[in-house]
Amino acid sequence: TKDELAERLFAALAAGESAGGDRRGRQSASILVVCKECGRNTNNDRWVFINVDDNPHPLVELRRLLNLALAYNYQDRTFKLVGAGKLAEARAAAERAERYMPDRVDTRALLGFLDYAAGNKPAALAEFRRAQKLDPQFRQLFDGTAEFVPAFKSVLEDRAFLNQLFPGKK
């Protein structure tokens, strides 16, 4: 793969497994990727640190955990870029998060907010509607995110847009 290091490491583990794996059997798998100032938490440099122990299918579980870790990393990067006013770069990071968690309401909503902030209301409406289908409580997430992120607050003043998204609601 030509993807990022964590994906290449996973591909190497999967290739090893396909070639016969460890003759002692399967039980655990791990990935650790360290990058200066890349960690989600301010006190570490771990981009990915996942570990599966005592599992009959460790690579399946490792893939699930890798998807979550990378999605959360890209969501974190998205919010940092939004805070820095770099909306186009934030949109690209949010797309990466969506790649790993396509059916998460918060991922879809984030894409919608970024589309709205970029002035692409039709795309924003489409993303928000996808998010609505994923969670009947979407309005709470929508309002909370718009209130919390200064770059997204303007959507709360756009009555015409809100009426399209939430017809018949105030």
Side-chain angles (χ1 to χ4, degrees):
T1 180
K2 294 180 181 174
D3 213 336
E4 65 180 78
L5 181 57
E7 289 287 4
R8 293 192 318 259
L9 289 171
F10 181 83
L13 288 170
E17 179 68 21
S18 293
D22 189 329
R23 62 188 163 112
R24 296 171 293 169
R26 289 181 254 161
Q27 186 171 0
S28 65
S30 298
I31 294 178
L32 171 63
V33 176
V34 178
C35 171
K36 188 160 182 67
E37 299 179 10
C38 288
R40 277 196 316 264
N41 300 321
T42 58
N43 63 347
N44 72 63
D45 293 331
R46 293 179 295 207
W47 174 245
V48 173
F49 180 42
I50 53 177
N51 190 54
V52 176
D53 285 318
D54 198 26
N55 187 303
H57 304 287
L59 287 183
V60 172
E61 180 64 3
L62 194 70
R63 177 75 257 177
R64 185 186 75 80
L65 294 175
L66 182 58
N67 286 350
L68 289 172
L70 291 174
Y72 291 140
N73 285 348
Y74 283 112
Q75 280 185 329
D76 181 64
R77 184 176 284 177
T78 299
F79 282 108
K80 288 175 181 171
L81 290 165
V82 167
K86 298 177 180 180
L87 296 182
E89 291 176 53
R91 180 66 165 81
E95 287 173 352
R96 293 296 300 258
E98 186 271 337
R99 171 182 168 190
Y100 294 106
M101 290 194 306
D103 296 325
R104 291 274 306 246
V105 64
D106 53 337
T107 306
R108 299 250 68 105
L110 186 53
L111 288 168
F113 281 114
L114 288 162
D115 287 337
Y116 185 89
N120 190 345
K121 291 182 183 182
L125 189 60
E127 287 295 350
F128 287 140
R129 285 186 174 150
R130 286 184 191 114
Q132 280 179 314
K133 289 179 182 176
L134 294 170
D135 185 357
Q137 303 299 315
F138 169 71
R139 182 68 190 254
Q140 289 177 283
L141 173 73
F142 179 89
D143 290 342
T145 304
E147 285 288 334
F148 182 72
V149 181
F152 301 157
K153 279 189 180 184
S154 64
V155 73
L156 297 174
E157 303 302 318
D158 188 340
R159 294 288 164 218
F161 184 83
L162 291 174
N163 285 336
Q164 287 180 63
L165 183 57
F166 305 108
K169 297 181 181 179
K170 290 186 178 187

